[in-house]
Amino acid sequence: MAPGEDGVFIQIEKLGWNSRRIRSKIAINSSLDTIWNVLTDYEKLADFIPGLAVSKLLDKKHNVARLYQVGQQNLPLGLKFNAKAILDSFEKDVEIFASGKRRNIEFKMTEGDFQFFDGKWSIEQVIKPRSEERDVSTGQEFETTLSYSVDFKPKLWLPIQLVEGRLYRDVQTNLSCIREEAQKMTMHT
């Protein structure tokens, strides 16, 4: 993955005709728990993610959240493009390993404006080796990264090139906004 704007690493793969995979990653100066709280406060996501017009929690049972989301883009000539989806988000338990911990949210579109839109958020918090300089200003002894991957295929009437470019930019913006929100929460605690 090549670094892009704002320290977001992002890569696009062709899966097949008219389908793609976007994989991305960003470092965040916050704990796994803080980032998890930002991602799972579903109704507040639209407050700080610019391309997300609506994020509504429809139902939550145990570790499964059903969401209604509307992505919105401004197009030339004052037009707006909306993409609607109902997503099932599966909140996985924390995985503990020798050098840290990880927690995932897997999501799958059950209905919406794509043929498929399925992916995963992954937060990984790794303990920094003692030999490395620790961030004295925050007292952090760990490094946290947020990864996002999505496999998608638009409806036939929508050209993949248009959607791919939009999603590429959106993913960069979304990860930067989530980092900013998590770091803001970290500073207020």
Side-chain angles (χ1 to χ4, degrees):
M1 277 193 250
E5 290 177 37
D6 285 340
V8 178
F9 290 79
I10 193 161
Q11 177 182 51
I12 296 182
E13 282 176 61
K14 189 174 183 175
L15 296 179
W17 180 81
N18 218 35
S19 61
R20 300 288 186 271
R21 171 176 293 146
I22 295 180
R23 293 186 312 155
S24 57
K25 189 179 223 177
I26 191 169
I28 301 179
N29 292 327
S30 294
S31 69
L32 180 149
D33 294 333
T34 299
I35 299 165
W36 180 264
N37 291 338
V38 168
L39 287 177
T40 58
D41 194 350
Y42 300 112
E43 301 230 333
K44 285 202 178 147
L45 294 175
D47 294 348
F48 62 89
I49 295 179
L52 193 57
V54 176
S55 183
K56 187 173 181 190
L57 181 62
L58 299 177
D59 189 32
K60 177 121 192 225
K61 288 187 178 116
H62 307 292
N63 288 353
V64 181
R66 177 161 280 191
L67 311 173
Y68 171 70
Q69 293 186 328
V70 179
Q72 190 172 71
Q73 293 294 329
N74 293 320
L75 299 174
L77 307 172
L79 299 172
K80 288 190 185 301
F81 168 74
N82 287 329
K84 299 176 184 87
I86 292 179
L87 300 168
D88 282 344
S89 294
F90 304 91
E91 300 172 358
K92 303 298 185 178
D93 292 333
V94 176
E95 300 170 62
I96 306 290
F97 45 94
S99 61
K101 57 187 177 176
R102 176 182 325 131
R103 194 157 188 198
N104 298 330
I105 300 171
E106 295 172 3
F107 59 88
K108 186 171 187 55
M109 186 191 79
T110 57
E111 59 184 87
D113 293 336
F114 288 84
Q115 289 187 45
F116 60 82
F117 191 90
D118 308 332
K120 178 169 79 172
W121 291 97
S122 185
I123 311 163
E124 192 166 314
Q125 182 175 304
V126 179
I127 299 163
K128 288 183 185 178
R130 290 207 180 275
S131 60
E132 277 188 39
E133 286 293 312
R134 295 216 167 116
D135 188 339
V136 179
S137 64
T138 62
Q140 285 187 329
E141 297 181 1
F142 55 82
E143 293 175 339
T144 311
T145 55
L146 174 63
S147 302
Y148 174 79
S149 67
V150 64
D151 296 351
F152 65 94
K153 184 175 186 176
K155 301 272 179 158
L156 290 175
W157 55 268
L158 206 55
I160 189 69
Q161 293 80 7
L162 176 69
V163 177
E164 176 184 310
R166 277 284 168 207
L167 279 176
Y168 184 91
R169 285 188 295 282
D170 282 354
V171 166
Q172 278 187 313
T173 302
N174 295 355
L175 288 177
S176 295
C177 290
I178 290 164
R179 176 181 59 196
E180 193 176 304
E181 189 69 11
Q183 289 177 177
K184 219 186 294 178
M185 286 177 72
T186 300
M187 289 168 66
H188 289 106
T189 53

